[in-house]
Amino acid sequence: MTTQAPASTEVELSIGGMTCASCAARIEKKLNRMDGVAATVNYATEKAKVTFEGEVEVADLIATVEATGYTAALPEPPAAEPAGAERAEPADELAPLRQRLFTALALAVPVIAMAMVPALQFDNWQWLSLTLAAPVVTYAAWPFHKAAFTNARHGAATMDTLVSLGTGAAFLWSLWALFFGDAGMPGMRHGFEFTIARSDGASDIYLEAAAGVTAFILAGRYFEARSKRTAGAALKALLELGAKDVTVLRGGAEVRIPIAELAVGTRFVVRPGEKIATDGTVVEGASAVDASMLTGESVPVEVGVGATVTGATVNAGGRLVVEATRVGADTQLARMARLVEDAQNGKAAAQRLADRISAVFVPIVITLAVATLGYWLGTGEGWTAAFTAAVAVLIIACPCALGLATPTALLVGTGRGAQLGILIKGPEVLESTRKVDTIVLDKTGTVTTGQMTLLAVHTVENVTEAEVLRLAGALEHASEHPIARAIATAAAKAGELPAVEGFENVPGLGVQGVVDGHAVVAGREALLNEWSQYLPPALAEAKRGAESAGRTAIAVGWDGEARAVLEVADAVKPTSAEAVGRLRALGLTPVLLTGDNRLVAEAVAAEVGIRPEHVIAEVMPQDKVDTVKRLQSEGRVVAMVGDGVNDAAALAQADLGLAMGTGTDAAIEAGDLTLVRGDLLAAADAIRLSRKTLGTIKSNLFWAFGYNVAALPLAAAGLLNPMIAGAAMAFSSVFVVGNSLRLRRFR
């Protein structure tokens, strides 16, 4: 007897009250201790992604987070806006933090100035300093004290604990010195050197340190919060791209309704300049569609009856009537946003290490501060020097930078990718892009357009190309064969096609009929030979040249003579050769993979700059996986670019799968990166962006680790004034976020 495994459920919780990376690590640890629960908590996005099974419910997850000292809730669904209603301005979440920051700055600056400049130290200046510093350490620093108290109740310590202990100790020491020591005496002067040097014990009050550290750290928090909001702006912009309402056809009349009421199968009208409301198929009209906001491709795409269109793209030309095929969460825009958000919620291997360090970092720092205090007292340096060093140790420590290193770079990198039509599925994908050395390119639909196209027309003397296209195009227009359609499409662009009389399809050979009074034959050379229409030497040479290049040659004759040869093939995309060059520049070896015959494959490879020895032709769809495995067995790290159902398994097998967004859902699902625009240049851009994002993560982590490794010994040695320590701590977080924001300029 077999028992069925319980189904797992995945939810996303909005977490409140986190102030540093160690907060996220604590929540994650508590959730993962629950039976059947696997959780990832992201400090930058303030979200927890939780998978659970068994008897666990969402209420249990929320209760666990609240018991840890934080808040949790399911994200509220976006409220549907009435058609034509003005959007309400979002509440300014940064207002309370900004208010505390401005208060701290206004009051702390004079306190610091008086402490640093002896000329400003009038009689009893220290009592004015106390009056100004008290609101800074109580009101402005209240979030730190509150969080430290909440954490202490739960037996935990975070970055707030360090800040609260440091500023509180400095303030209380100053109170003791003022009321019970000699610091309150009129005429007291305060020495201060803004240098890295051992304290000589001359300074008895630390009001400038308590106020200055609070102001610096609040400034760091404010700019960090603002930058985090900016970092997520690309995803927010992506989600807001969609139309808010739509004009539907009901009983022949046009009715305006909210987008939420649109259903699959409903026909809606898109006027010039309007956004297409959802994914669908054009049933009436023709236009050009601007998809730049989704694909990054600036050239509008021509669409007509039967063409598929994507929601959030803009109708740049005529009126269209579209039948909805996907709505709501199933649309390409919604799926793009989901992919981006999932990637931002993930963690790279390096960040998981940083999280583990952050979780134990704060207790270690507190222990180090106590040890520093004990050491300096034990060496006879006195309370002043010992206290200065201990407070500097508490304040300099910064796990925030560690916690922000990966999430902020991911937020900006994946958001920028989405703007350029590159969707990164997760942080582990970034690790793969660094190691890839071989890129396998599926030919049809990836390197080539995937559609037969008329590439060249060769004619005899006294016959124009326009004349050939008019007669052959009219004849082929009556056929459904892909080659015939390619010729007919090219001919239709040159002008209106005449009618055909007596049309006849000759199986395996071609077509024949009467056009404008001419008896026209088009197809294989053998068909023209049956009508005694033999190719003259020039056309015979053109035919041989076309076939040697892997193209299909169509002979055309009328009124008893062979008059033209047309070259038809699956055309190479205009950007493919440039893309292959860029992939080589990234250190990758391009390999062309196709089910076509070797002649065709090598012709395409030569056109785009792939060497013949890197062409793998005549591969059956089911054998593509084996080809990828064989390359991997040779020690190569393989990326694969494909767009069809037959590429899905190979994309999944590859170390890095890049799926063309113009391809099938199966291919997109199997890929690690999705290239929304069907352009191979996007593959090079995707790898470049991924590597740059990974490089940013690594430089962030190097800075965060290096900063703490260098700064803590300096503080413990008594070589850092607590105020300088506070400024450096705040700067480290701002530096990490600022470094990540440079990815917004990626081109």
Side-chain angles (χ1 to χ4, degrees), residues 609-636:
I610 296 176
R611 293 174 189 150
E613 63 268 26
H614 294 146
V615 175
I616 303 172
E618 297 171 20
V619 177
M620 297 297 287
Q622 60 270 28
D623 296 332
K624 287 186 177 181
V625 178
D626 295 331
T627 303
V628 172
K629 284 181 180 174
R630 178 172 59 75
L631 291 168
Q632 288 170 328
S633 69
E634 293 171 5
R636 303 193 199 190

PDB file of all heavy atoms in Angstrom, residues 609-636:
ATOM      1  N   GLY A 609      28.899  33.453 -38.683  1.00  0.00           N
ATOM      2  CA  GLY A 609      30.252  33.421 -38.124  1.00  0.00           C
ATOM      3  C   GLY A 609      30.534  32.282 -37.173  1.00  0.00           C
ATOM      4  O   GLY A 609      31.374  32.409 -36.284  1.00  0.00           O
ATOM      5  N   ILE A 610      29.822  31.150 -37.359  1.00  0.00           N
ATOM      6  CA  ILE A 610      30.103  29.956 -36.550  1.00  0.00           C
ATOM      7  C   ILE A 610      30.942  28.998 -37.388  1.00  0.00           C
ATOM      8  O   ILE A 610      30.630  28.755 -38.558  1.00  0.00           O
ATOM      9  CB  ILE A 610      28.788  29.272 -36.092  1.00  0.00           C
ATOM     10  CG1 ILE A 610      28.016  30.215 -35.165  1.00  0.00           C
ATOM     11  CG2 ILE A 610      29.073  27.949 -35.391  1.00  0.00           C
ATOM     12  CD1 ILE A 610      26.656  29.694 -34.733  1.00  0.00           C
ATOM     13  N   ARG A 611      31.999  28.450 -36.808  1.00  0.00           N
ATOM     14  CA  ARG A 611      32.904  27.579 -37.561  1.00  0.00           C
ATOM     15  C   ARG A 611      32.231  26.261 -37.914  1.00  0.00           C
ATOM     16  O   ARG A 611      31.403  25.754 -37.141  1.00  0.00           O
ATOM     17  CB  ARG A 611      34.154  27.290 -36.723  1.00  0.00           C
ATOM     18  CG  ARG A 611      35.007  28.523 -36.504  1.00  0.00           C
ATOM     19  CD  ARG A 611      36.157  28.252 -35.569  1.00  0.00           C
ATOM     20  NE  ARG A 611      36.833  29.484 -35.206  1.00  0.00           N
ATOM     21  CZ  ARG A 611      37.442  29.681 -34.051  1.00  0.00           C
ATOM     22  NH1 ARG A 611      37.460  28.725 -33.152  1.00  0.00           N
ATOM     23  NH2 ARG A 611      38.033  30.836 -33.794  1.00  0.00           N
ATOM     24  N   PRO A 612      32.605  25.660 -39.064  1.00  0.00           N
ATOM     25  CA  PRO A 612      31.977  24.394 -39.501  1.00  0.00           C
ATOM     26  C   PRO A 612      32.101  23.268 -38.466  1.00  0.00           C
ATOM     27  O   PRO A 612      31.193  22.463 -38.316  1.00  0.00           O
ATOM     28  CB  PRO A 612      32.747  24.044 -40.786  1.00  0.00           C
ATOM     29  CG  PRO A 612      33.310  25.349 -41.263  1.00  0.00           C
ATOM     30  CD  PRO A 612      33.574  26.165 -40.048  1.00  0.00           C
ATOM     31  N   GLU A 613      33.235  23.235 -37.744  1.00  0.00           N
ATOM     32  CA  GLU A 613      33.414  22.153 -36.750  1.00  0.00           C
ATOM     33  C   GLU A 613      32.500  22.312 -35.540  1.00  0.00           C
ATOM     34  O   GLU A 613      32.378  21.396 -34.715  1.00  0.00           O
ATOM     35  CB  GLU A 613      34.877  22.075 -36.295  1.00  0.00           C
ATOM     36  CG  GLU A 613      35.409  23.297 -35.572  1.00  0.00           C
ATOM     37  CD  GLU A 613      36.081  24.302 -36.501  1.00  0.00           C
ATOM     38  OE1 GLU A 613      35.727  24.337 -37.703  1.00  0.00           O
ATOM     39  OE2 GLU A 613      36.959  25.045 -36.017  1.00  0.00           O
ATOM     40  N   HIS A 614      31.852  23.493 -35.427  1.00  0.00           N
ATOM     41  CA  HIS A 614      30.919  23.722 -34.323  1.00  0.00           C
ATOM     42  C   HIS A 614      29.468  23.650 -34.797  1.00  0.00           C
ATOM     43  O   HIS A 614      28.584  24.218 -34.154  1.00  0.00           O
ATOM     44  CB  HIS A 614      31.197  25.080 -33.670  1.00  0.00           C
ATOM     45  CG  HIS A 614      32.528  25.147 -32.996  1.00  0.00           C
ATOM     46  ND1 HIS A 614      33.301  26.292 -32.941  1.00  0.00           N
ATOM     47  CD2 HIS A 614      33.257  24.188 -32.365  1.00  0.00           C
ATOM     48  CE1 HIS A 614      34.424  26.041 -32.305  1.00  0.00           C
ATOM     49  NE2 HIS A 614      34.423  24.770 -31.946  1.00  0.00           N
ATOM     50  N   VAL A 615      29.243  22.968 -35.917  1.00  0.00           N
ATOM     51  CA  VAL A 615      27.884  22.763 -36.432  1.00  0.00           C
ATOM     52  C   VAL A 615      27.463  21.321 -36.164  1.00  0.00           C
ATOM     53  O   VAL A 615      28.169  20.382 -36.525  1.00  0.00           O
ATOM     54  CB  VAL A 615      27.813  23.053 -37.949  1.00  0.00           C
ATOM     55  CG1 VAL A 615      26.434  22.708 -38.492  1.00  0.00           C
ATOM     56  CG2 VAL A 615      28.142  24.518 -38.223  1.00  0.00           C
ATOM     57  N   ILE A 616      26.330  21.155 -35.485  1.00  0.00           N
ATOM     58  CA  ILE A 616      25.786  19.818 -35.223  1.00  0.00           C
ATOM     59  C   ILE A 616      24.438  19.754 -35.941  1.00  0.00           C
ATOM     60  O   ILE A 616      23.460  20.386 -35.512  1.00  0.00           O
ATOM     61  CB  ILE A 616      25.626  19.558 -33.713  1.00  0.00           C
ATOM     62  CG1 ILE A 616      26.972  19.749 -33.005  1.00  0.00           C
ATOM     63  CG2 ILE A 616      25.098  18.153 -33.459  1.00  0.00           C
ATOM     64  CD1 ILE A 616      26.893  19.713 -31.494  1.00  0.00           C
ATOM     65  N   ALA A 617      24.401  19.021 -37.076  1.00  0.00           N
ATOM     66  CA  ALA A 617      23.207  19.009 -37.939  1.00  0.00           C
ATOM     67  C   ALA A 617      22.521  17.642 -37.918  1.00  0.00           C
ATOM     68  O   ALA A 617      23.053  16.666 -37.393  1.00  0.00           O
ATOM     69  CB  ALA A 617      23.609  19.386 -39.361  1.00  0.00           C
ATOM     70  N   GLU A 618      21.308  17.631 -38.516  1.00  0.00           N
ATOM     71  CA  GLU A 618      20.525  16.401 -38.680  1.00  0.00           C
ATOM     72  C   GLU A 618      20.279  15.699 -37.345  1.00  0.00           C
ATOM     73  O   GLU A 618      20.361  14.479 -37.222  1.00  0.00           O
ATOM     74  CB  GLU A 618      21.216  15.468 -39.684  1.00  0.00           C
ATOM     75  CG  GLU A 618      21.310  16.088 -41.083  1.00  0.00           C
ATOM     76  CD  GLU A 618      22.174  15.280 -42.040  1.00  0.00           C
ATOM     77  OE1 GLU A 618      22.399  14.096 -41.775  1.00  0.00           O
ATOM     78  OE2 GLU A 618      22.624  15.863 -43.045  1.00  0.00           O
ATOM     79  N   VAL A 619      19.973  16.521 -36.309  1.00  0.00           N
ATOM     80  CA  VAL A 619      19.698  15.988 -34.966  1.00  0.00           C
ATOM     81  C   VAL A 619      18.185  15.927 -34.771  1.00  0.00           C
ATOM     82  O   VAL A 619      17.493  16.932 -34.944  1.00  0.00           O
ATOM     83  CB  VAL A 619      20.327  16.903 -33.879  1.00  0.00           C
ATOM     84  CG1 VAL A 619      19.979  16.403 -32.488  1.00  0.00           C
ATOM     85  CG2 VAL A 619      21.829  16.979 -34.057  1.00  0.00           C
ATOM     86  N   MET A 620      17.688  14.760 -34.399  1.00  0.00           N
ATOM     87  CA  MET A 620      16.255  14.612 -34.132  1.00  0.00           C
ATOM     88  C   MET A 620      15.916  15.369 -32.841  1.00  0.00           C
ATOM     89  O   MET A 620      16.761  15.465 -31.937  1.00  0.00           O
ATOM     90  CB  MET A 620      15.899  13.134 -33.959  1.00  0.00           C
ATOM     91  CG  MET A 620      16.147  12.299 -35.212  1.00  0.00           C
ATOM     92  SD  MET A 620      15.106  12.832 -36.600  1.00  0.00           S
ATOM     93  CE  MET A 620      13.524  12.205 -36.078  1.00  0.00           C
ATOM     94  N   PRO A 621      14.667  15.882 -32.738  1.00  0.00           N
ATOM     95  CA  PRO A 621      14.303  16.657 -31.536  1.00  0.00           C
ATOM     96  C   PRO A 621      14.640  15.942 -30.228  1.00  0.00           C
ATOM     97  O   PRO A 621      15.164  16.554 -29.297  1.00  0.00           O
ATOM     98  CB  PRO A 621      12.788  16.849 -31.692  1.00  0.00           C
ATOM     99  CG  PRO A 621      12.560  16.814 -33.159  1.00  0.00           C
ATOM    100  CD  PRO A 621      13.564  15.841 -33.709  1.00  0.00           C
ATOM    101  N   GLN A 622      14.344  14.638 -30.163  1.00  0.00           N
ATOM    102  CA  GLN A 622      14.584  13.900 -28.922  1.00  0.00           C
ATOM    103  C   GLN A 622      16.069  13.710 -28.620  1.00  0.00           C
ATOM    104  O   GLN A 622      16.445  13.346 -27.505  1.00  0.00           O
ATOM    105  CB  GLN A 622      13.871  12.539 -28.941  1.00  0.00           C
ATOM    106  CG  GLN A 622      14.297  11.610 -30.060  1.00  0.00           C
ATOM    107  CD  GLN A 622      13.470  11.790 -31.329  1.00  0.00           C
ATOM    108  OE1 GLN A 622      12.950  12.870 -31.583  1.00  0.00           O
ATOM    109  NE2 GLN A 622      13.329  10.724 -32.110  1.00  0.00           N
ATOM    110  N   ASP A 623      16.927  13.948 -29.638  1.00  0.00           N
ATOM    111  CA  ASP A 623      18.368  13.748 -29.441  1.00  0.00           C
ATOM    112  C   ASP A 623      19.090  15.031 -29.011  1.00  0.00           C
ATOM    113  O   ASP A 623      20.300  15.009 -28.767  1.00  0.00           O
ATOM    114  CB  ASP A 623      19.010  13.219 -30.737  1.00  0.00           C
ATOM    115  CG  ASP A 623      18.481  11.840 -31.108  1.00  0.00           C
ATOM    116  OD1 ASP A 623      18.080  11.109 -30.186  1.00  0.00           O
ATOM    117  OD2 ASP A 623      18.460  11.519 -32.310  1.00  0.00           O
ATOM    118  N   LYS A 624      18.354  16.148 -28.925  1.00  0.00           N
ATOM    119  CA  LYS A 624      18.998  17.405 -28.540  1.00  0.00           C
ATOM    120  C   LYS A 624      19.553  17.324 -27.111  1.00  0.00           C
ATOM    121  O   LYS A 624      20.617  17.868 -26.820  1.00  0.00           O
ATOM    122  CB  LYS A 624      18.003  18.570 -28.664  1.00  0.00           C
ATOM    123  CG  LYS A 624      17.712  18.943 -30.121  1.00  0.00           C
ATOM    124  CD  LYS A 624      16.851  20.188 -30.230  1.00  0.00           C
ATOM    125  CE  LYS A 624      16.648  20.583 -31.692  1.00  0.00           C
ATOM    126  NZ  LYS A 624      15.850  21.797 -31.854  1.00  0.00           N
ATOM    127  N   VAL A 625      18.820  16.639 -26.226  1.00  0.00           N
ATOM    128  CA  VAL A 625      19.287  16.466 -24.843  1.00  0.00           C
ATOM    129  C   VAL A 625      20.606  15.711 -24.823  1.00  0.00           C
ATOM    130  O   VAL A 625      21.544  16.078 -24.100  1.00  0.00           O
ATOM    131  CB  VAL A 625      18.238  15.704 -24.001  1.00  0.00           C
ATOM    132  CG1 VAL A 625      18.753  15.487 -22.586  1.00  0.00           C
ATOM    133  CG2 VAL A 625      16.940  16.469 -23.947  1.00  0.00           C
ATOM    134  N   ASP A 626      20.688  14.647 -25.619  1.00  0.00           N
ATOM    135  CA  ASP A 626      21.915  13.839 -25.671  1.00  0.00           C
ATOM    136  C   ASP A 626      23.097  14.667 -26.165  1.00  0.00           C
ATOM    137  O   ASP A 626      24.231  14.488 -25.711  1.00  0.00           O
ATOM    138  CB  ASP A 626      21.718  12.625 -26.588  1.00  0.00           C
ATOM    139  CG  ASP A 626      20.667  11.670 -26.034  1.00  0.00           C
ATOM    140  OD1 ASP A 626      20.520  11.639 -24.800  1.00  0.00           O
ATOM    141  OD2 ASP A 626      20.002  10.986 -26.825  1.00  0.00           O
ATOM    142  N   THR A 627      22.830  15.588 -27.102  1.00  0.00           N
ATOM    143  CA  THR A 627      23.895  16.458 -27.610  1.00  0.00           C
ATOM    144  C   THR A 627      24.435  17.349 -26.497  1.00  0.00           C
ATOM    145  O   THR A 627      25.647  17.508 -26.335  1.00  0.00           O
ATOM    146  CB  THR A 627      23.358  17.328 -28.767  1.00  0.00           C
ATOM    147  OG1 THR A 627      22.843  16.479 -29.789  1.00  0.00           O
ATOM    148  CG2 THR A 627      24.453  18.209 -29.345  1.00  0.00           C
ATOM    149  N   VAL A 628      23.517  17.920 -25.702  1.00  0.00           N
ATOM    150  CA  VAL A 628      23.933  18.771 -24.574  1.00  0.00           C
ATOM    151  C   VAL A 628      24.722  17.945 -23.558  1.00  0.00           C
ATOM    152  O   VAL A 628      25.770  18.364 -23.062  1.00  0.00           O
ATOM    153  CB  VAL A 628      22.707  19.446 -23.910  1.00  0.00           C
ATOM    154  CG1 VAL A 628      23.108  20.164 -22.627  1.00  0.00           C
ATOM    155  CG2 VAL A 628      22.036  20.426 -24.872  1.00  0.00           C
ATOM    156  N   LYS A 629      24.222  16.729 -23.264  1.00  0.00           N
ATOM    157  CA  LYS A 629      24.915  15.846 -22.307  1.00  0.00           C
ATOM    158  C   LYS A 629      26.319  15.498 -22.801  1.00  0.00           C
ATOM    159  O   LYS A 629      27.269  15.455 -22.015  1.00  0.00           O
ATOM    160  CB  LYS A 629      24.110  14.556 -22.105  1.00  0.00           C
ATOM    161  CG  LYS A 629      22.885  14.717 -21.217  1.00  0.00           C
ATOM    162  CD  LYS A 629      22.178  13.367 -21.066  1.00  0.00           C
ATOM    163  CE  LYS A 629      20.947  13.502 -20.181  1.00  0.00           C
ATOM    164  NZ  LYS A 629      20.166  12.254 -20.134  1.00  0.00           N
ATOM    165  N   ARG A 630      26.448  15.251 -24.110  1.00  0.00           N
ATOM    166  CA  ARG A 630      27.748  14.883 -24.667  1.00  0.00           C
ATOM    167  C   ARG A 630      28.747  16.034 -24.498  1.00  0.00           C
ATOM    168  O   ARG A 630      29.896  15.830 -24.103  1.00  0.00           O
ATOM    169  CB  ARG A 630      27.609  14.519 -26.151  1.00  0.00           C
ATOM    170  CG  ARG A 630      28.947  14.164 -26.828  1.00  0.00           C
ATOM    171  CD  ARG A 630      28.730  13.622 -28.221  1.00  0.00           C
ATOM    172  NE  ARG A 630      28.044  14.548 -29.095  1.00  0.00           N
ATOM    173  CZ  ARG A 630      28.613  15.634 -29.640  1.00  0.00           C
ATOM    174  NH1 ARG A 630      29.868  15.925 -29.384  1.00  0.00           N
ATOM    175  NH2 ARG A 630      27.913  16.411 -30.438  1.00  0.00           N
ATOM    176  N   LEU A 631      28.275  17.263 -24.765  1.00  0.00           N
ATOM    177  CA  LEU A 631      29.152  18.428 -24.584  1.00  0.00           C
ATOM    178  C   LEU A 631      29.561  18.584 -23.118  1.00  0.00           C
ATOM    179  O   LEU A 631      30.706  18.916 -22.809  1.00  0.00           O
ATOM    180  CB  LEU A 631      28.449  19.698 -25.078  1.00  0.00           C
ATOM    181  CG  LEU A 631      28.241  19.804 -26.598  1.00  0.00           C
ATOM    182  CD1 LEU A 631      27.289  20.951 -26.926  1.00  0.00           C
ATOM    183  CD2 LEU A 631      29.568  20.017 -27.316  1.00  0.00           C
ATOM    184  N   GLN A 632      28.604  18.316 -22.212  1.00  0.00           N
ATOM    185  CA  GLN A 632      28.909  18.415 -20.779  1.00  0.00           C
ATOM    186  C   GLN A 632      29.910  17.344 -20.358  1.00  0.00           C
ATOM    187  O   GLN A 632      30.780  17.592 -19.520  1.00  0.00           O
ATOM    188  CB  GLN A 632      27.621  18.299 -19.952  1.00  0.00           C
ATOM    189  CG  GLN A 632      26.730  19.536 -20.065  1.00  0.00           C
ATOM    190  CD  GLN A 632      25.355  19.332 -19.464  1.00  0.00           C
ATOM    191  OE1 GLN A 632      24.808  18.217 -19.482  1.00  0.00           O
ATOM    192  NE2 GLN A 632      24.773  20.386 -18.931  1.00  0.00           N
ATOM    193  N   SER A 633      29.790  16.147 -20.969  1.00  0.00           N
ATOM    194  CA  SER A 633      30.714  15.052 -20.629  1.00  0.00           C
ATOM    195  C   SER A 633      32.144  15.360 -21.083  1.00  0.00           C
ATOM    196  O   SER A 633      33.105  14.782 -20.581  1.00  0.00           O
ATOM    197  CB  SER A 633      30.236  13.735 -21.261  1.00  0.00           C
ATOM    198  OG  SER A 633      30.388  13.787 -22.671  1.00  0.00           O
ATOM    199  N   GLU A 634      32.264  16.294 -22.044  1.00  0.00           N
ATOM    200  CA  GLU A 634      33.596  16.719 -22.512  1.00  0.00           C
ATOM    201  C   GLU A 634      34.207  17.782 -21.600  1.00  0.00           C
ATOM    202  O   GLU A 634      35.256  18.344 -21.892  1.00  0.00           O
ATOM    203  CB  GLU A 634      33.492  17.278 -23.942  1.00  0.00           C
ATOM    204  CG  GLU A 634      33.120  16.220 -24.981  1.00  0.00           C
ATOM    205  CD  GLU A 634      32.797  16.830 -26.348  1.00  0.00           C
ATOM    206  OE1 GLU A 634      32.954  18.074 -26.491  1.00  0.00           O
ATOM    207  OE2 GLU A 634      32.384  16.090 -27.251  1.00  0.00           O
ATOM    208  N   GLY A 635      33.487  18.070 -20.498  1.00  0.00           N
ATOM    209  CA  GLY A 635      33.997  19.045 -19.530  1.00  0.00           C
ATOM    210  C   GLY A 635      33.553  20.469 -19.790  1.00  0.00           C
ATOM    211  O   GLY A 635      34.041  21.395 -19.153  1.00  0.00           O
ATOM    212  N   ARG A 636      32.615  20.657 -20.726  1.00  0.00           N
ATOM    213  CA  ARG A 636      32.154  22.015 -21.020  1.00  0.00           C
ATOM    214  C   ARG A 636      30.979  22.389 -20.108  1.00  0.00           C
ATOM    215  O   ARG A 636      30.196  21.530 -19.722  1.00  0.00           O
ATOM    216  CB  ARG A 636      31.700  22.121 -22.477  1.00  0.00           C
ATOM    217  CG  ARG A 636      32.785  21.724 -23.477  1.00  0.00           C
ATOM    218  CD  ARG A 636      32.381  22.153 -24.858  1.00  0.00           C
ATOM    219  NE  ARG A 636      33.116  21.455 -25.900  1.00  0.00           N
ATOM    220  CZ  ARG A 636      33.085  21.792 -27.173  1.00  0.00           C
ATOM    221  NH1 ARG A 636      32.354  22.806 -27.565  1.00  0.00           N
ATOM    222  NH2 ARG A 636      33.784  21.122 -28.069  1.00  0.00           N
TER     223      ARG A 636
END
